[in-house]
Amino acid sequence: MMRVNGVEIEDTFAEAFGMWGARLVVTAETLEWARTAGAAATGFATSIIGCGCEAGINELVRAQDTPDDRPGIIVLLFTMSRAAMEQQLMLRIGQTIMTCPTTACYDGLPDGEERFKVGGKLRYFGDGFQRSKLLDGRRLWRIPVMDGEFVVEESFGAAKAVGGGNFFIMAGDLEHALAAAQAAVAAMRGVPGVVMPFPGGVVRSGSKTSSRYKGQHASSNTPYCPTLRGFEKSDLREGENAVLEIVIDGLTSDAVAEATRVGVVAACCDGVLRISAGNYGGSLGQFKFALHDLVSA
Amino acid sequence: MTCISCAGAALDRGGMTLTRRESSPIPVEADSICPDRFIGLNEADIARLPAFYGRRQVTLGDLFEIEGVGATDITVTGDLAAVKKIGHGMTMGRVTVEGPVGQHTGARMTGGELVVRGDAGDWLGAYMAGGRIIVEGNAGHFVGGAYSGDTKGMRGGTILVKGDVGREAGGRMRRGLIIVLGDTGEFTAARMLAGTVFVRGRLGARAGAGMKRGTVVAFGEVAELLPTFRYTCTYRPVFMRCYLRRLRETGLVAEGELEGELFRRSIGDLTNGGRGEVLVRAERE
């Protein structure tokens, strides 16, 4: 049996799926405004089940590392299809980043396999007064707005990515589960190329892909609900009274693997009894992340 | 079958040096001095390439001593003030001109890099569509301009002149970037269609006359703007930060050589739609 800090690491694996990922560089006059734009752009983007995409802020970028020498953030956005990616980029850049004071938005995946015209469509907001500049082969649109100009790149790249990496934290009580989850997320935020799309990076309403109700595609993950022990088949052990899940989306499987490793190790805190992971028996997902392999690597 | 660029790259990367045999004010047309024309040729072959000495057709070998191997890195030295069309139409490689050079240098080029370690004559980079020209001295009139009869001037690429330029720099320019670290003459970016001109020194009179679109940026003094330009606002254009950052990254300008955050924006020329702009650097109050 594998243990880290006395916490059992279950011999199982997380099953993840192929998605499309985009990387946006959002800059603003101050880091605070860049963060505000990022928070708006990644709001209501926890799960593709109901939000159309999964998104999060990946990292802060120093002014000297952005295209316009201003402080910025990296936003990662994941969808299941190319069509959904185009739609989500248009909606989120147009409705949240463009509306936020002083921002600009640049493509962070110039070598992506697919390109989606975003600035090239948003430009029409300029009502004929938009201007473009071609800088080293990249076209930037300058759309007049009330605080000056919104600069947005003509098109954004997207690449095949990985979504749905995960692990569960089983603790004796909610306080210890929360502390462990927060420690894990804090550690994982240092890994480039991944986001944890749920609120604060943590999800409590893990789901299974079946329901007793017609038309309901996802339902409560009953085997992991401590309040249902005794009614339903439970995967929880004696003493496990709170479970939190961390879901990981990444631009590459290596990034997801590294984030999982970092997160699992960081989550092995006092009061945590076991770390597990969600899968469908290995029959559905293209990517498998075995916890033992990752932690012992 | 390989393309010309690949063939050039496949050649050895040694240098080829052409040294002018004599000084003469008689114009020489030497559009053969171009990496594309040297591909696959040895010294003897290159010496047989044609040139014009006044009205007389001669060979490069008559005018230049030629030594070295390779097509992708050419150095031209000697008295070149009357030598025209060096690098004309080049698509790749690098040409370095040691000293002042004549007219039409780098005209119609579409790729590669041309460096002039001195002054350049008129029509530098005229009608160019790509690549990069760096002039360490001054340049004459019509930098990146359009030839008579052409509706467009420069269509892409970058020209950097570290000194002054004459009149009508960027005339009828369609795309690309011209940076002048010194002063410009009259009618900079006249009838410009699009593209960008940066001027660190004094922007000459009547800049942007007849411009349709495009951007002229003055980092220093401005002689006067035509009355057909209308002031709109003083603001911080984010796209300028992108340009300045990229220019520093590519080494075209040094840290602190071109700076500015706040600019006064005027639109014009109102006689031609008024969709162009002149940005003049403003100081923080």
Side-chain angles (χ1 to χ4, degrees):
Chain A
M1 182 186 296
M2 177 181 277
R3 287 188 176 276
V4 174
N5 289 340
V7 178
E8 178 189 343
I9 310 294
E10 197 172 336
D11 187 10
T12 186
F13 61 90
E15 199 169 347
F17 300 87
M19 294 182 90
W20 285 92
R23 185 172 184 267
L24 318 181
V25 181
V26 181
T27 65
E29 284 296 313
T30 63
L31 184 58
E32 184 188 359
W33 278 116
R35 276 180 161 146
T36 301
T42 59
F44 190 60
T46 56
S47 167
I48 51 154
I49 293 173
C51 306
C53 75
E54 298 181 4
I57 295 174
N58 178 226
E59 57 189 298
L60 307 180
V61 193
R62 297 175 306 168
Q64 57 264 43
D65 296 327
T66 62
D68 59 19
D69 273 347
R70 302 189 302 167
I73 54 158
I74 302 287
V75 167
L76 300 185
L77 198 144
F78 298 88
T79 62
M80 292 304 287
S81 68
R82 279 173 275 204
M85 177 61 79
E86 185 163 18
Q87 183 191 34
Q88 290 295 324
L89 286 171
M90 280 295 293
L91 281 175
R92 288 173 188 270
I93 295 175
Q95 300 301 314
T96 63
I97 298 174
M98 184 166 75
T99 56
C100 182
T102 77
T103 58
C105 190
Y106 308 96
D107 177 28
L109 270 187
D111 299 324
E113 304 152 45
E114 293 280 335
R115 294 208 69 78
F116 299 104
K117 202 169 173 179
V118 178
K121 292 179 180 171
L122 284 175
R123 70 187 168 109
Y124 294 110
F125 184 76
D127 201 23
F129 296 100
Q130 66 273 18
R131 302 280 180 269
S132 79
K133 286 289 168 197
L134 194 62
L135 189 54
D136 284 342
R138 295 171 76 163
R139 186 173 294 282
L140 301 175
W141 282 100
R142 302 161 52 197
I143 301 172
V145 286
M146 293 191 297
D147 72 351
E149 287 171 341
F150 173 57
V151 172
V152 59
E153 199 149 346
E154 160 91 0
S155 63
F156 285 73
K160 287 178 180 163
V162 181
N166 66 81
F167 62 91
F168 293 95
I169 301 165
M170 283 81 163
D173 55 47
L174 182 58
E175 290 73 20
H176 285 101
L178 274 175
Q182 286 177 282
V185 170
M188 295 161 79
R189 285 204 167 122
V191 179
V194 296
V195 291
M196 287 64 73
F198 282 94
V202 187
V203 53
R204 69 172 183 178
S205 60
S207 60
K208 61 180 186 295
T209 54
S210 61
S211 167
R212 62 182 66 191
Y213 299 108
K214 254 187 185 173
Q216 181 77 25
H217 301 299
S219 67
S220 198
N221 195 359
T222 48
Y224 284 156
C225 291
T227 54
L228 299 182
R229 193 158 28 198
F231 288 103
E232 285 278 326
K233 173 187 167 297
S234 179
D235 286 342
L236 296 181
R237 297 177 190 167
E238 192 61 35
E240 293 176 344
N241 292 310
V243 180
L244 291 173
E245 181 182 0
I246 295 178
V247 173
I248 307 145
D249 296 335
L251 292 174
T252 63
S253 61
D254 287 347
V256 174
E258 175 61 8
T260 307
R261 185 190 70 77
V262 166
V264 166
V265 171
C268 292
C269 309
D270 280 351
V272 176
L273 303 173
R274 181 165 60 110
I275 302 288
S276 187
N279 62 63
Y280 306 90
S283 57
L284 291 178
Q286 299 149 258
F287 303 93
K288 298 176 184 65
F289 300 97
L291 297 186
H292 279 195
D293 292 349
L294 293 177
V295 172
S296 59
Chain B
M1 188 172 174
T2 56
C3 67
I4 288 175
S5 301
C6 299
L11 292 173
D12 67 82
R13 296 186 180 273
M16 176 74 73
T17 301
L18 285 79
T19 307
R20 182 85 196 265
R21 292 183 188 278
E22 60 177 19
S23 289
S24 166
I26 295 175
V28 171
E29 282 197 19
D31 52 350
S32 301
I33 303 178
C34 173
D36 304 76
R37 303 286 294 273
F38 283 16
I39 290 172
L41 304 185
N42 58 29
E43 289 175 27
D45 296 331
I46 291 169
R48 284 194 289 272
L49 289 174
F52 276 92
Y53 182 67
R55 293 166 55 190
R56 191 155 51 92
Q57 183 161 2
V58 294
T59 64
L60 283 184
D62 295 332
L63 303 172
F64 294 91
E65 282 177 28
I66 300 165
E67 56 181 356
V69 287
T72 54
D73 192 357
I74 300 169
T75 302
V76 193
T77 65
D79 178 12
L80 305 166
V83 179
K84 303 177 188 178
K85 293 192 175 182
I86 289 178
H88 186 273
M90 65 187 275
T91 65
M92 56 88 180
R94 179 184 163 97
V95 176
T96 305
V97 179
E98 300 287 354
V101 70
Q103 298 175 340
H104 307 282
T105 303
R108 298 184 188 273
M109 70 185 275
T110 59
E113 184 177 70
L114 200 156
V115 178
V116 179
R117 302 200 194 284
D119 297 340
D122 299 342
W123 304 104
L124 174 78
Y127 204 66
M128 77 183 275
R132 187 159 103 162
I133 299 177
I134 298 170
V135 176
E136 296 188 350
N138 302 320
H141 305 308
F142 315 115
V143 171
Y147 287 120
S148 298
D150 280 339
T151 54
K152 300 182 185 85
M154 182 178 178
R155 294 168 295 147
T158 303
I159 300 175
L160 167 66
V161 179
K162 296 189 176 177
D164 303 334
V165 300
R167 62 187 150 82
E168 292 190 48
R172 294 182 191 266
M173 182 177 182
R174 174 67 184 83
R175 194 176 288 139
L177 173 63
I178 297 175
I179 306 159
V180 181
L181 297 184
D183 303 339
T184 61
E186 287 186 317
F187 291 104
T188 302
R191 301 197 70 79
M192 179 188 228
L193 298 168
T196 308
V197 176
F198 287 175
V199 181
R200 189 179 69 173
R202 183 175 189 271
L203 177 64
R206 292 173 278 282
M211 75 191 292
K212 190 174 181 184
R213 295 190 305 271
T215 305
V216 177
V217 185
F219 291 83
E221 187 190 343
V222 178
E224 71 177 283
L225 279 186
L226 289 167
T228 47
F229 279 76
R230 183 180 296 155
Y231 170 75
T232 62
C233 69
T234 301
Y235 80 129
R236 297 178 186 186
V238 172
F239 82 95
M240 280 298 301
R241 293 165 176 253
C242 298
Y243 266 95
L244 296 179
R245 180 190 170 85
R246 192 70 193 131
L247 291 176
R248 284 198 305 272
E249 273 177 357
T250 53
L252 268 177
V253 300
E255 193 80 38
E257 212 162 26
L258 278 181
E259 280 185 343
E261 276 188 23
L262 208 57
F263 290 86
R264 288 172 55 83
R265 181 175 192 257
S266 299
I267 57 165
D269 185 332
L270 296 174
T271 60
N272 198 10
R275 291 190 291 166
E277 63 186 349
V278 176
L279 302 177
V280 180
R281 190 172 81 168
E283 297 300 327
R284 286 170 186 266
E285 290 183 0

